[in-house]
Amino acid sequence: MSTAYKPVGWNRNKLIYDAILLCGVVAYILLYLKLAPLLSSSVRAVDTPILRMRAFGSLAFLLLTLVLAIGPLARLDSRFLPLLYNRRHLGVMTAAVAFTHAMFVLDWYFAFSATPKFTALFTSNTSFGSIAGFPFELFGVFALVILLVLAATSHDFWLSFLSPPVWKAMHMGIYAAYAAAVLHVGLGAAIDGTNPMTALFLSASLAALSVLHLLAGRREMAIDDAASRIDAKTDWVDVGALDAIQEGRAIVGVLPRGERVAVFRFKNRLSALSNLCSHQNGPIGEGKVVMGFATCPWHGYQYRLEDGCAPPPFRERVRKYRVKISGARVLVDPVAVPLGTRIEPVVIDGAPPPASPPLPSRRTSP
């Protein structure tokens, strides 16, 4: 959470994650350099510097595919949440690998150019009217610029400075980077025309991402459809059955304007908060109560159940809603109270005492 900013806020989990990531990058490059010539005669015919730049280029595309796959995977299966928690580190690594690929390209193809390298890159091929000879390098440059900008602004300082909505909209540019990378790789492979593995690699990436995003979108639509019924007597939103809420967890309803609300059960009391974390719009309702705080599953941001405020010295706040029990159903007032308003949790009459969950050894907030 954000009371102070450090260049890199490493903890033990992030160190392990980054170490595994770095080892994976090194292993991929070494395997590519050793195995690719053995698997393809066309690859054996290329020079070592070209093989090296292809190794980094293919790795950058693979990492970019993983970056885009983690979001829907985490929505479909919570076991992928640790990957989402550290996704910004993966994005920075992707930008670094793509930049290395670009530097190898410049040093090999334009090292002896009569004009400066960057000038030669943009002027050496102007076949814009031909698909077969189209300057596919420009799509690669476009994708690289986006990746570098996103990596440079990935820190929480920029998220706070730009505001979460602007930062989120800007970082959706990752999809534009992916589209440009697809064109860069596809057109480059079409011009080369000697390695069918590139086309298979590209097709598999597109198919996997399309399927994952469709499945995740279908799941979200099903949740909205099942949790947006309006109670005819009160005009409050019926978010679900009381016994569907596990101790320390939440159920999620959908308000008439589309915003989701999470109703948490903690010590047999109910509290309703906006489902959108003020950090990166993470789904708070898919998290759990940790040490008395509703905790976002994406990056561990925490909020008090009574007023939706982060505990001091943190300053984040989320919307708070009134909640009540009607028979066996849980109803939420669709109108939020002013930010920071304290509402005492609703006591569940006659409920057995909750089992004591094991307490974590320390807070999960970053």
Side-chain angles (χ1 to χ4, degrees):
M1 298 171 74
S2 55
T3 55
Y5 299 109
K6 298 178 181 178
V8 180
W10 269 310
N11 55 34
R12 182 176 179 274
N13 290 335
K14 290 181 184 294
L15 285 172
I16 294 174
Y17 180 93
D18 288 349
I20 294 175
L21 181 58
L22 189 58
C23 290
V25 167
V26 173
Y28 178 92
I29 296 299
L30 293 178
L31 285 173
Y32 188 98
L33 295 177
K34 294 293 183 183
L35 292 180
L38 299 176
L39 299 175
S40 172
S41 58
S42 64
V43 175
R44 283 195 294 274
V46 303
D47 295 315
T48 300
I50 296 177
L51 187 63
R52 190 183 301 127
M53 73 179 67
R54 288 183 179 179
F56 277 92
S58 61
L59 177 57
F61 187 77
L62 176 61
L63 292 176
L64 183 56
T65 301
L66 290 176
V67 168
L68 292 173
I70 288 173
L73 282 173
R75 304 312 298 265
L76 295 169
D77 191 327
S78 61
R79 288 174 295 184
F80 290 98
L81 281 172
L83 297 179
L84 183 64
Y85 187 87
N86 298 291
R87 185 168 55 172
R88 281 184 281 183
H89 287 223
L90 181 56
V92 172
M93 179 64 77
T94 302
V97 172
F99 181 78
T100 305
H101 164 73
M103 291 302 101
F104 279 136
V105 171
L106 283 175
D107 286 341
W108 176 251
Y109 286 109
F110 304 103
F112 302 103
S113 173
T115 57
K117 294 179 183 177
F118 286 102
T119 303
L121 173 65
F122 290 107
T123 60
S124 60
N125 183 2
T126 56
S127 303
F128 293 100
S130 168
I131 295 179
F134 196 88
F136 67 96
E137 300 89 347
L138 300 183
F139 290 111
V141 172
F142 180 70
L144 177 61
V145 169
I146 293 177
L147 291 177
L148 292 177
V149 169
L150 298 189
T153 59
S154 63
H155 195 273
D156 269 355
F157 166 79
W158 289 104
L159 189 150
S160 178
F161 178 75
L162 296 171
S163 79
V166 173
W167 187 92
K168 187 79 173 180
M170 188 175 77
H171 279 249
M172 291 299 286
I174 189 74
Y175 286 95
Y178 179 74
V182 167
L183 290 172
H184 175 67
V185 176
L187 289 172
I191 292 173
D192 180 57
T194 59
N195 190 357
M197 291 300 296
T198 303
L200 291 174
F201 183 45
L202 199 62
S203 300
S205 168
L206 280 169
L209 289 182
S210 298
V211 170
L212 285 174
H213 280 77
L214 286 172
L215 290 176
R218 183 180 177 183
R219 173 188 178 276
E220 298 302 302
M221 290 177 64
I223 291 175
D224 287 352
D225 291 341
S228 58
R229 190 175 70 85
I230 303 297
D231 183 79
K233 297 180 180 177
T234 62
D235 287 336
W236 285 28
V237 177
D238 183 342
V239 297
L242 176 61
D243 59 7
I245 314 178
Q246 301 176 21
E247 175 65 20
R249 298 284 185 173
I251 56 173
V252 177
V254 182
L255 305 180
R257 293 184 178 180
E259 182 179 1
R260 292 182 175 181
V261 60
V263 179
F264 280 93
R265 178 173 184 161
F266 181 60
K267 294 184 177 180
N268 281 330
R269 297 166 182 258
L270 299 181
S271 303
L273 305 174
S274 169
N275 193 51
L276 295 179
C277 179
S278 63
H279 177 225
Q280 286 189 16
N281 290 344
I284 300 174
E286 295 179 22
K288 58 184 177 182
V289 179
V290 178
M291 300 182 73
F293 300 105
T295 304
C296 179
W298 280 15
H299 300 104
Y301 275 59
Q302 295 183 307
Y303 304 92
R304 288 193 299 249
L305 294 167
E306 312 89 76
D307 56 13
C309 298
F314 306 109
R315 299 184 295 273
E316 289 80 7
R317 296 187 297 180
V318 295
R319 291 177 182 170
K320 173 78 181 167
Y321 295 88
R322 293 185 176 85
V323 61
K324 64 182 179 181
I325 301 170
S326 177
R329 309 296 295 180
V330 177
L331 306 182
V332 172
D333 184 351
V335 179
V337 299
L339 282 172
T341 301
R342 181 182 178 88
I343 301 176
E344 290 301 322
V346 174
V347 177
I348 303 173
D349 294 329
S356 299
L359 291 176
S361 57
R362 58 187 176 84
R363 287 182 60 172
T364 58
S365 298

